Amino acid sequence: MSVDASGPVVVVRARTRPRAPARCTGCGVLSEWVHSRYVRRLADVALGGRPVRIDLSVRRLYCENAACSKTTFAEQVPGLTVRYQRRTPLLQHLVEAVGVVLAGRGGARMLRVLNVALSRCTVLSQLMRVPLPPQEVPRVLGVDDFALYGDTYGTLLVDATTRLPLTLWEGRDAGQLSRWLRGHAGVEVVCRDGSLVYRQGITDGAPNALQISDRFHIWQGLSRRVQDVAGAHRACLPAALPALEPAGPEPAEASSADRGEADTPAGRHARRLFEAVHTLTDTGRTYSAVARELGLDRRTVRKYARARTWQEVMRRPPRKASTLDPYLDYLQQRWDEGQYSAKILHEELQTKGYLGHYQRVKMAVAPLRRGLPLDEPRERPPSPREAARWITTRPDRRSLHINDRLPRLLDHCPELRLTHDLVRRFASMIDNRDATSLPGWLDDLAHSGLAPLAGLAGALHEDRHAVAQGITTPYNSGVNEGRITDVKLQKRLMAGRASVPLLRHRVVLIAHLRRRYADRPTIASK
């Protein structure tokens, strides 16, 4: 053992056999003609938590082949030395594997834990020296895009049979994809999304390949159009809520709470704005014109114009349930008994098991100080996204909550009823792997009278053959989406600063590295 600048080092001294013939590294001819000796210092994997250095005395020999370009050569020890390498093959493999998994900075930190001192630049250079596995022409190819950085996108190719990534590049143009396909002839099936660019690239590069439009992307596009339809009929969404008890008097005189709101400055201001906005909008003027005349923001005008009464503008959106809701009756009881201190009420609730903060109790009793009732939780109308999720969810997977509210919504809005029927018809085609009714469904979609669905019908009609294959065949882009998730993970590990060649190297090599170690049997399985 010796000590160097990095601390104690385990040193192993060895010497090659003096009379054993060595093979020339230039021509391969054996030689025993010794020129000299020198010592090679090789770093090896740590032993007992200490770095290991092998001081190996090797021979330099003359090449006895007169036709060889080399005069002398250094002998190599199989499994221990490599030309121009100062690390053993075992340590070199460790450095490359750590670089593949953790990249530069993270790999250098992990190697320091393993008592291997290398900089991040060295780790990256060793990583880029690892050759990529040879590309075999896949029978089923997956093509998809991913966000590289900013508004720049990249293209990822995956072998759908082996589920291994093949390559990736910057951009998503048809020309580059067609050139790759022409250079790798033999692709029979290509899975893609509905992109016109990829469709054109596949048609140019592999005209005989069967194109499949992935059903996940079709369903995703349909779900977005359903959300657009629900957004266009936002006024119908409150109909999904259970019917309230009928209120007899006018809303402005319905309760003491409304009378209390009307006496406040905010209430008088809201009432004046409500009357002014409705006076102008009832004449048919646009929101923008009313906003310019009243000096208000267009969104404010829209909010007042959509409200049925000025109290709707005053009231905050229905709040969600909180941990204080079970104690609201007790708060009302103690308030009626004359206890007006929020601090004392909070202490009393803590004895009853309330674990919330004092500030929540203080905010809960604030309406009582103004003569208003406690703000009880009320159910909010579904958002357009929630309504779209209700419609696209399979009936057997809908919760009781959805099954209670969705029929009321569909009965109230015929446009959403039509949308629901069209969605269920397409879902039935996917479940049964039957595309015979696709042309009729596309016609109904185009003539539905709903602009979002009609636009989708036009796009699907242009790609109807690939859409039909996506419905009937078992191929899909699921493996592409999984690999894109892995690409995003590798990007985040490198803080988004990886160049395309480095990202390609890591994505391809790490997939093969995982496959290699996943195929090895564990000790328990033996």
Side-chain angles (χ1 to χ4, degrees), residues 60-261:
R60 178 170 291 276
L61 300 97
Y62 291 101
C63 181
E64 300 181 13
N65 182 9
C68 181
S69 60
K70 287 183 173 293
T71 304
T72 62
F73 65 92
E75 65 175 332
Q76 304 296 329
V77 179
L80 185 61
T81 63
V82 180
R83 294 181 65 191
Y84 311 117
Q85 184 71 275
R86 303 182 68 178
R87 287 181 288 272
T88 63
L90 183 61
L91 180 58
Q92 179 65 19
H93 176 71
L94 175 64
V95 171
E96 293 172 353
V98 171
V100 168
V101 176
L102 298 176
R105 197 179 300 273
R109 290 170 180 168
M110 176 56 70
L111 289 172
R112 280 198 295 270
V113 175
L114 300 175
N115 290 293
V116 180
L118 289 178
S119 68
R120 60 185 179 88
C121 296
T122 302
V123 176
L124 288 179
S125 67
Q126 297 301 315
L127 165 63
M128 295 303 294
R129 288 175 55 188
V130 180
L132 292 176
Q135 289 187 7
E136 298 181 358
V137 178
R139 192 182 73 86
V140 182
L141 177 67
V143 183
D144 209 345
D145 61 347
F146 63 95
L148 197 56
Y149 47 83
D151 295 332
T152 304
Y153 285 79
T155 299
L156 175 68
L157 304 186
V158 181
D159 187 339
T161 304
T162 63
R163 310 179 72 87
L164 291 174
L166 298 174
T167 186
L168 61 87
W169 60 72
E170 181 178 349
R172 46 181 177 181
D173 55 308
Q176 197 163 1
L177 178 59
S178 63
R179 286 192 297 272
W180 191 93
L181 288 172
R182 284 193 293 268
H184 300 78
V187 177
E188 301 177 8
V189 180
V190 183
C191 300
R192 56 167 176 81
D193 56 11
S195 171
L196 178 62
V197 174
Y198 289 150
R199 187 197 318 171
Q200 185 63 40
I202 297 169
T203 304
D204 296 342
N208 297 326
L210 179 65
Q211 297 191 38
I212 296 178
S213 183
D214 180 50
R215 50 183 172 270
F216 165 76
H217 289 91
I218 302 174
W219 185 260
Q220 187 181 51
L222 178 61
S223 300
R224 290 173 179 169
R225 301 311 192 280
V226 172
Q227 182 175 340
D228 294 340
V229 173
H233 296 81
R234 186 186 298 267
C236 299
L237 300 182
L241 301 180
L244 300 177
E245 296 181 1
E250 290 294 323
E253 303 174 357
S255 64
S256 59
D258 292 338
R259 290 193 295 270
E261 289 179 351

Side-chain angles (χ1 to χ4, degrees), residues 270-311:
R271 191 166 192 170
R272 284 195 303 268
L273 280 184
F274 178 81
E275 293 172 353
V277 169
H278 275 266
T279 300
L280 296 175
T281 55
D282 290 345
T283 62
R285 301 182 63 177
T286 63
Y287 293 164
S288 299
V290 175
R292 286 193 297 269
E293 181 168 338
L294 298 179
L296 300 174
D297 188 87
R298 185 181 181 278
R299 288 173 294 184
T300 303
V301 173
R302 183 180 61 187
K303 179 178 69 173
Y304 277 88
R306 289 180 175 179
R308 294 187 297 270
T309 62
W310 64 268
Q311 289 91 343

Side-chain angles (χ1 to χ4, degrees), residues 324 330-331 339 341-362 365:
L324 187 60
Y330 179 78
L331 284 178
Q339 180 53 261
S341 172
K343 182 177 181 180
I344 296 177
L345 291 174
H346 177 253
E347 293 174 354
E348 293 179 1
L349 291 181
Q350 284 183 320
T351 61
K352 294 181 174 295
Y354 176 64
L355 302 177
H357 196 268
Y358 154 76
Q359 193 68 22
R360 180 166 300 214
V361 178
K362 179 181 177 181
V365 299

